[in-house]
Amino acid sequence: MSEFNELLTQWRRHLHQHPELALNEKQTSAFVAARLREMGLDVCEGVGKTGVVATLTAGTGGRTIGLRADMDAIVLQEETCLPYQSQNPGVMHGCGHDGHTATLLGAAKLLSETPNFNGTVRFVFQPGEEPGIGAKAMIEDGLFERFPMDEMYGAHNNPRYPIELADHALYPAARLRRLTLEHKRFPIPFHRRHGPIGQCRCPFSFRCSGYGPAVSASPGQSSLHEEAFDPCK
């Protein structure tokens, strides 16, 4: 297992060094497709411009599930000085999609080497998640018609949580909170709850104070402004 972990670490760091923005993930998708073909999977590239879909079938079962990961990076200058720091100025995997991609590649490798299931798995590598255009592009390109699936699963990492909590925190970012949004006329209570939930794009604006990309030049995940910090202070 240590060799497997080392391989995933190498993949993740390679992806971290070569981040690409939405629908421009050409090197990323080529890297993903190459690794999947090395595993012997049936691979289709260019789904929704830069998306990749791979298929693995075992046994005679008629059910199909999809496993999905996003591949795009964000506009952010990396200043970590890590040996695998981004080599693309102004672009960084600051939201963990390099980890998502490596994780799904790891799942594909494990299942291809130990196909102890009866049915079909589709590994869906989605481009353009950050601006919310990649899934739509893949669907409009016939994702579900060309690659039928009975169910589809995805996940988002949160490195602040210890590994042993993974089984109990499928969507740990959805921690219970209460925020008061400033409205012109009245405050709006805003709630988030524990556990896996659906989400959609629902634009609104609000004011917040503290550090984070929306309120200062300090680095921080846009959904966790209050936990960002200024490294110069």
Side-chain angles (χ1 to χ4, degrees):
M1 205 64 178
S2 61
E3 292 182 4
F4 177 74
N5 291 340
E6 179 61 29
L7 181 62
L8 262 63
T9 299
Q10 292 176 10
W11 287 347
R12 206 279 295 184
R13 291 181 176 180
H14 171 85
L15 293 165
H16 192 86
Q17 282 185 301
H18 305 283
E20 296 172 295
L21 298 177
L23 299 187
N24 288 288
E25 308 93 333
K26 296 179 181 178
Q27 292 185 36
T28 303
S29 60
F31 177 85
V32 166
R35 303 292 79 75
L36 294 168
R37 289 195 173 98
E38 290 172 355
M39 302 171 199
L41 275 63
D42 182 16
V43 181
C44 182
E45 299 179 71
V47 183
K49 190 174 180 180
T50 49
V52 179
V53 179
T55 301
L56 174 65
T57 299
T60 59
R63 300 279 289 176
T64 301
I65 67 168
L67 301 177
R68 169 265 185 197
D70 37 23
M71 302 187 293
D72 57 323
I74 61 176
V75 178
L76 185 67
Q77 180 62 42
E78 182 170 5
E79 298 178 350
T80 62
C81 298
L82 292 169
Y84 50 89
Q85 177 173 300
S86 170
Q87 296 181 4
N88 296 341
V91 183
M92 176 187 176
H93 270 299
C95 197
H97 296 186
D98 50 342
H100 298 171
T101 301
T103 298
L104 189 53
L105 284 174
K109 183 173 177 59
L110 285 176
L111 290 174
S112 65
E113 294 177 350
T114 311
N116 54 353
F117 61 93
N118 188 27
T120 297
V121 181
R122 302 205 194 274
F123 302 92
V124 180
F125 294 83
Q126 178 198 316
E129 185 273 342
E130 290 294 341
I133 57 178
K136 186 173 185 289
M138 295 189 81
I139 292 170
E140 290 180 346
D141 199 15
L143 173 66
F144 294 113
E145 291 77 21
R146 296 163 61 186
F147 310 97
M149 290 171 264
D150 297 295
E151 298 176 4
M152 194 171 191
Y153 299 88
H156 199 294
N157 75 71
N158 192 329
R160 295 173 306 144
Y161 283 76
I163 294 174
E164 58 267 21
L165 289 181
D167 291 339
H168 307 286
L170 179 61
Y171 197 76
R175 292 168 295 152
L176 181 63
R177 296 191 181 181
R178 177 186 176 90
L179 305 177
T180 299
L181 309 185
E182 276 193 23
H183 190 273
K184 292 181 180 178
R185 298 170 61 185
F186 52 88
I188 306 172
F190 183 75
H191 299 272
R192 293 200 293 176
R193 70 176 181 82
H194 290 284
I197 56 176
Q199 66 175 14
C200 64
R201 292 175 62 82
C202 188
F204 62 90
S205 61
F206 64 94
R207 293 182 181 180
C208 65
S209 60
Y211 296 113
V215 293
S216 77
S218 302
Q221 163 51 261
S222 59
S223 64
L224 297 170
H225 296 295
E226 77 282 7
E227 295 185 16
F229 64 92
D230 188 340
C232 297
K233 292 185 176 182

